[in-house]
Amino acid sequence: MKLLKYFTVLLFSISLFNCQSQKEETSTMDQNGEFKYQTEQFADLAILRYKVPDFEELTLKEKELLYYLSQAALSGRDIFYDQNYKHNLKIRRTLEAIVNSYSGDRSDEDFQKFMVYTKRVWFSNGIHHHYSTDKILPEFSSEYFTHLISNSDKNLLPLDKEETVETLITKLTPIIFDPDADAKRINLNPDDDLIVTSANNYYEGVTQKEAEEFYNRMIIKSDPTPIWYGLNSKLVKENGVIKEKVWKVGGMYSAAIEKIVYWLEKAVTVAENDLQKKTLEKLIEYYKTGDLRKFDEYNILWVQDTLSGIDAVNGFIEVYGDPLGRKGAYESVVSMKDLDATKRIDAIGKQAQWFEDNSPIHPEYKKKNVVGISAKVITVLTEAGDASPSTPIGINLPNTNWIRQQHGSKSVSLGNIIESYDKAASEGVIQEFAFDEEEIRLAKEYGPLAGKLNTDLHEVIGHASGQIKPGVAAPKQTLKNYASASEETRADLVALYYIMDQKMIDIGVMPTLDAAKAEYNAYLRNGLMLQLRRIQPGNNIEQAHMRNRQAISKWVYEKGKADKIIEKKVNDGKTFFVINDHPKLRSLFGVLLREIQRITSEGDYEAAKNFIETYGVKADQDLLKEVHKRHEKLNIAPYKGFINPKLIPVYENNMIVDVKIEYPDDFTTQMLEYAKEYSFLPNYN
Ligand code: ZN
């Protein structure tokens, strides 16, 4: 499973599609000498970069392993284009030939539109939108397309046997410009034949009924460890016979898979330990044989390997691209343990008992022996296929249920990707919604760290803390529909209460209490205002996290009103909530925590209902409209994708003696480079 940053999608209207390309200056650093997270924005997309903070600290062997796994990842890149639509590789190569060699005017509006289209195709790994899966229609004419091809280097065009420039144009024009031809990559309308009406390339010449029957015949109902039939093949009908074309060495996509295997074999030579070595060898065996039992065996080894610092997802993994949920899209995510996060989480987790003992909750509801919950964060090095440029922010694998039940699964959040999202998104938002320069300064200096500490405290300490009164049932039974909002309230309050504790400085995870101030400011900005942008006018708040954030924020605002702990100010018609006294606010968080813990421990349904309904549900409609207006003005792209860092090996006497990391800052350059380095498949497979 992948966890997407989906909520951003809901907020923005389709009108952004018509935006002109807004390429900003693309220097690696911005004017303040800081790492530039967002490099450009076009259509409904923004391109970001992400940092790999601990790379220099790795040993040569570890760097080498990351390099080989990254090469393996990128080697399969073409596969995903072809899986998405059978004409994708040919179209992409035509677009790239034009970008590389078009001899006409590149400064006019038409060419800009052509570049936006090309970048959208790269972003979506094909001509269908990565999220809606609708066909992307160019904003330039088919005549202009003909003109571009005719004025480009013929030798660079992907001409198949006996094909001329003219026949290439004739062939591609309807595919690209006709809105009705292969209009949707994945059709999920149950009234249609899902296979025939989906443009993806997982089935050819077969109907939905034929495909379903084909696989139903294979399934053995009594098998306690069932194989995921169809995961690594295309189903076709040839001469009236339905059969699978398996993706393996010697099968379909062989040229790319051979390269993946080549680099995985290199990775084996520098594996961190025996188990990791065995795991990689099993993956190679699977790619060589196409045997899905081997893939199960690989996954079992993979979930067992929790000690390695470096890890990779590599294979045909997620099945969202197939309306029948059988076919795995190629993807790879190469990562290492987030050392900083691990240190931070360990330091906080070790203090779980101290936090419990010093908590403002009633002694009766404290745990005598509390153990922090471990949270896992990874740092991404390279992403490819289904995971790139658009990426998940969390991954939970393997997908096979019986393996999850019998052997476990790995669940991670992608730390440096999340950080990049936050940094890129926050700048304009903070400028707009923070009250003064001091609030902006605190947010810039401590915002990201404070956000992470808050999450750590919430996950590691918050959810682990407190106990139910003996004889009282679990909150799910007692608090019913308010259970999850109450639980999130409780965990948030533990985090908010402790982030402003000297203990955080003493255990070395926070440099100053100013970081806690930054977090309080951010929490209330979001809880009282900013999150309203996710609610459509006229609606109230449904989602548990949003309810609990508003409930906490509104409660402390109301209770602190008399003392002006938090003050509402209106400037130029804009509303702000300003915290005048952070330590007093902390005390209020403590008071509320004590009450919410009591509600939870005693299963006080009426009190939970009263709290959430009074403070968490109702959206202030005037404020909501204001927030929408102010936020829309910022023109933030709903979808984001990432440029990968580049790993560059340094050779001496044919031996790798070092691996350097660079952070390219131009999406087009990286896409052209990848096309040159990793184009292993023919136009049609
Ligand atoms: Zn939570």
Side-chain angles (χ1 to χ4, degrees):
M1 277 171 286
K2 59 179 171 181
L3 179 63
L4 288 170
K5 203 155 171 84
Y6 66 91
F7 59 80
T8 50
V9 166
L10 307 170
L11 318 175
F12 301 91
S13 63
I14 308 295
S15 66
L16 279 166
F17 275 87
N18 301 321
C19 289
Q20 285 293 315
S21 165
Q22 306 182 329
K23 196 152 183 315
E24 301 160 21
E25 46 120 2
T26 55
S27 76
T28 311
M29 302 291 168
D30 67 13
Q31 309 91 308
N32 307 321
E34 284 164 16
F35 186 84
K36 199 178 169 107
Y37 284 91
Q38 180 168 326
T39 63
E40 62 177 311
Q41 188 171 336
F42 50 87
D44 56 348
L45 309 171
I47 303 294
L48 313 185
R49 308 190 302 160
Y50 57 96
K51 270 202 251 190
V52 183
D54 297 311
F55 188 78
E56 313 299 337
E57 269 113 88
L58 299 173
T59 64
L60 173 59
K61 202 175 153 195
E62 289 167 329
K63 288 181 184 173
E64 240 183 296
L65 178 56
L66 285 167
Y67 171 67
Y68 295 144
L69 292 172
S70 296
Q71 290 293 104
L74 294 166
S75 296
R77 175 176 185 266
D78 273 2
I79 296 173
F80 187 52
Y81 275 87
D82 193 75
Q83 287 178 320
N84 281 340
Y85 184 45
K86 69 173 182 178
H87 300 292
N88 272 343
L89 284 172
K90 195 170 179 105
I91 293 169
R92 193 195 80 198
R93 286 168 184 159
T94 303
L95 301 176
E96 285 163 353
I98 295 168
V99 177
N100 280 322
S101 68
Y102 172 61
S103 57
D105 183 6
R106 289 178 177 235
S107 64
D108 65 8
E109 207 179 305
D110 268 339
F111 194 78
Q112 297 310 311
K113 286 176 177 168
F114 163 76
M115 281 310 299
V116 168
Y117 176 73
T118 302
K119 287 191 277 191
R120 294 181 74 184
V121 170
W122 283 327
F123 191 100
S124 294
N125 291 277
I127 65 166
H128 299 90
H129 191 276
H130 77 287
Y131 192 82
S132 74
T133 87
D134 292 329
K135 186 157 152 178
I136 302 165
L137 290 171
E139 290 187 1
F140 53 87
S141 67
S142 59
E143 291 74 28
Y144 183 68
F145 184 58
T146 301
H147 163 83
L148 287 170
I149 296 185
S150 310
N151 289 282
S152 295
D153 184 350
K154 186 171 176 263
N155 298 314
L156 296 180
L157 291 169
L159 299 175
D160 284 304
K161 229 171 150 192
E162 292 177 21
E163 196 168 35
T164 64
V165 174
E166 286 66 38
T167 59
L168 177 74
I169 292 169
T170 314
K171 178 172 187 155
L172 293 189
T173 300
I175 297 173
I176 294 176
F177 291 91
D178 180 352
D180 297 326
D182 295 330
K184 209 163 173 63
R185 178 158 60 85
I186 311 162
N187 181 17
L188 294 173
N189 182 354
D191 299 337
D192 299 333
D193 183 312
L194 304 182
I195 297 303
V196 174
T197 55
S198 293
N200 63 26
N201 192 26
Y202 292 126
Y203 304 86
E204 194 163 351
V206 294
T207 63
Q208 180 179 350
K209 191 162 169 280
E210 285 171 327
E212 282 168 347
E213 280 171 3
F214 181 87
Y215 286 111
N216 284 342
R217 273 199 298 275
M218 295 174 93
I219 294 163
I220 304 159
K221 287 228 166 65
S222 58
D223 190 349
T225 59
I227 288 178
W228 196 304
Y229 288 112
L231 183 69
N232 66 338
S233 63
K234 177 176 174 177
L235 194 67
V236 297
K237 194 193 264 178
E238 280 174 2
N239 304 320
V241 182
I242 299 175
K243 61 173 191 179
E244 285 187 320
K245 288 169 82 178
V246 179
W247 308 326
K248 61 170 185 170
V249 171
M252 191 170 169
Y253 301 142
S254 186
I257 296 172
E258 284 165 44
K259 295 285 178 185
I260 297 173
V261 166
Y262 170 86
W263 289 109
L264 289 177
E265 281 172 343
K266 293 250 181 205
V268 166
T269 66
V270 288
E272 291 173 79
N273 52 55
D274 248 21
L275 180 55
Q276 189 180 51
K277 184 166 172 256
K278 267 196 211 139
T279 308
L280 290 168
E281 283 169 345
K282 192 58 84 176
L283 181 60
I284 292 166
E285 225 183 304
Y286 160 62
Y287 273 131
K288 283 183 174 170
T289 60
D291 180 352
L292 284 166
R293 272 283 173 234
K294 302 254 183 268
F295 188 58
D296 288 344
E297 288 165 24
Y298 156 75
N299 276 315
I300 292 166
L301 291 168
W302 182 75
V303 291
Q304 284 167 358
D305 180 12
T306 52
L307 293 178
S308 300
I310 290 166
D311 204 357
V313 172
N314 186 309
F316 307 111
I317 310 290
E318 305 290 359
V319 295
Y320 303 106
D322 171 12
L324 300 188
R326 293 214 161 268
K327 309 291 175 188
Y330 173 79
E331 84 165 65
S332 186
V333 176
V334 180
S335 68
M336 60 196 211
K337 275 192 184 141
D338 181 333
L339 302 177
D340 277 351
T342 307
K343 270 186 236 158
R344 217 176 49 225
I345 289 165
D346 286 352
I348 290 170
K350 272 194 196 129
Q351 302 297 329
Q353 194 64 54
W354 187 92
F355 287 125
E356 190 74 351
D357 295 344
N358 290 277
S359 168
I361 63 179
H362 195 281
E364 196 189 338
Y365 304 137
K366 287 183 184 179
K367 273 195 182 128
K368 305 292 168 276
N369 290 299
V370 62
V371 182
I373 298 166
S374 85
K376 294 199 171 55
V377 184
I378 58 171
T379 299
V380 173
L381 266 291
T382 305
E383 296 181 305
D386 195 14
S388 178
S390 173
T391 168
I393 58 166
I395 301 178
N396 190 334
L397 289 174
N399 284 329
T400 300
N401 250 325
W402 66 265
I403 299 180
R404 298 171 68 84
Q405 277 158 15
Q406 291 173 30
H407 303 274
S409 60
K410 284 188 196 171
S411 179
V412 295
S413 61
L414 284 53
N416 55 338
I417 295 283
I418 294 169
E419 168 151 352
S420 176
Y421 265 122
D422 289 350
K423 293 236 174 149
S426 62
E427 186 102 335
V429 173
I430 291 167
Q431 290 286 351
E432 176 61 37
F433 289 93
F435 179 65
D436 57 14
E437 286 308 314
E438 174 64 0
E439 193 176 330
I440 293 169
R441 184 188 71 82
L442 286 173
K444 276 191 173 168
E445 218 164 313
Y446 302 111
L449 172 68
K452 285 188 222 169
L453 288 171
N454 193 67
T455 306
D456 296 344
L457 284 167
H458 174 112
E459 299 291 348
V460 180
I461 305 298
H463 284 305
S465 144
Q467 65 181 3
I468 307 296
K469 191 174 181 173
V472 174
K476 263 213 170 81
Q477 270 112 55
T478 55
L479 303 182
K480 300 186 183 102
N481 52 324
Y482 299 103
S484 65
S486 300
E487 176 58 15
E488 295 310 325
T489 302
R490 207 177 61 86
D492 263 6
L493 286 167
V494 171
L496 288 164
Y497 183 77
Y498 276 119
I499 199 167
M500 201 154 216
D501 200 300
Q502 177 65 27
K503 188 79 178 170
M504 298 295 280
I505 297 171
D506 296 345
I507 62 174
V509 296
M510 199 170 84
T512 148
L513 290 178
D514 277 358
K517 283 190 183 173
E519 184 55 27
Y520 282 13
N521 296 341
Y523 195 91
L524 289 187
R525 254 195 331 260
N526 184 58
L528 290 173
M529 303 222 311
L530 204 43
Q531 70 169 2
L532 292 173
R533 76 189 188 278
R534 298 188 200 157
I535 307 289
Q536 288 311 311
N539 292 357
N540 279 326
I541 301 172
E542 299 282 344
Q543 207 261 346
H545 281 97
M546 292 180 68
R547 281 184 167 188
N548 99 260
R549 285 168 191 152
Q550 175 170 302
I552 292 175
S553 305
K554 268 218 160 123
W555 189 91
V556 291
Y557 171 64
E558 298 290 342
K559 298 293 161 188
K561 228 176 193 170
D563 294 339
K564 290 199 173 172
I565 295 175
I566 302 160
E567 216 178 322
K568 181 175 174 176
K569 295 186 178 178
V570 180
N571 237 355
D572 271 349
K574 292 180 182 176
T575 308
F576 299 90
F577 289 90
V578 186
I579 303 172
N580 291 322
D581 192 332
H582 290 85
K584 275 197 184 152
L585 176 55
R586 185 193 182 208
S587 308
L588 284 179
F589 287 140
V591 173
L592 184 56
L593 171 58
R594 189 177 169 96
E595 171 61 5
I596 298 294
Q597 182 62 55
R598 184 199 67 75
I599 291 173
T600 309
S601 296
E602 298 175 3
D604 188 343
Y605 174 81
E606 282 306 318
K609 179 181 174 189
N610 189 39
F611 171 71
I612 299 294
E613 290 292 340
T614 308
Y615 300 100
V617 175
K618 219 174 140 252
D620 177 334
Q621 293 297 323
D622 290 339
L623 197 54
L624 181 147
K625 275 180 217 136
E626 180 192 325
V627 170
H628 273 254
K629 219 171 104 198
R630 286 165 71 182
H631 198 264
E632 270 156 28
K633 216 177 57 192
L634 300 173
N635 189 25
I636 294 167
Y639 304 101
K640 300 191 161 96
F642 290 82
I643 299 174
N644 280 313
K646 186 177 177 182
L647 299 184
I648 306 158
V650 181
Y651 286 94
E652 259 173 42
N653 304 322
N654 278 326
M655 298 268 289
I656 293 183
V657 293
D658 195 11
V659 179
K660 303 263 180 228
I661 191 162
E662 277 181 9
Y663 299 100
D665 57 13
D666 185 51
F667 182 56
T668 298
T669 308
Q670 179 156 81
M671 291 298 104
L672 292 175
E673 203 173 286
Y674 281 178
K676 194 164 154 248
E677 300 280 323
Y678 307 104
S679 266
F680 300 126
L681 296 181
N683 296 325
Y684 291 101
N685 292 276

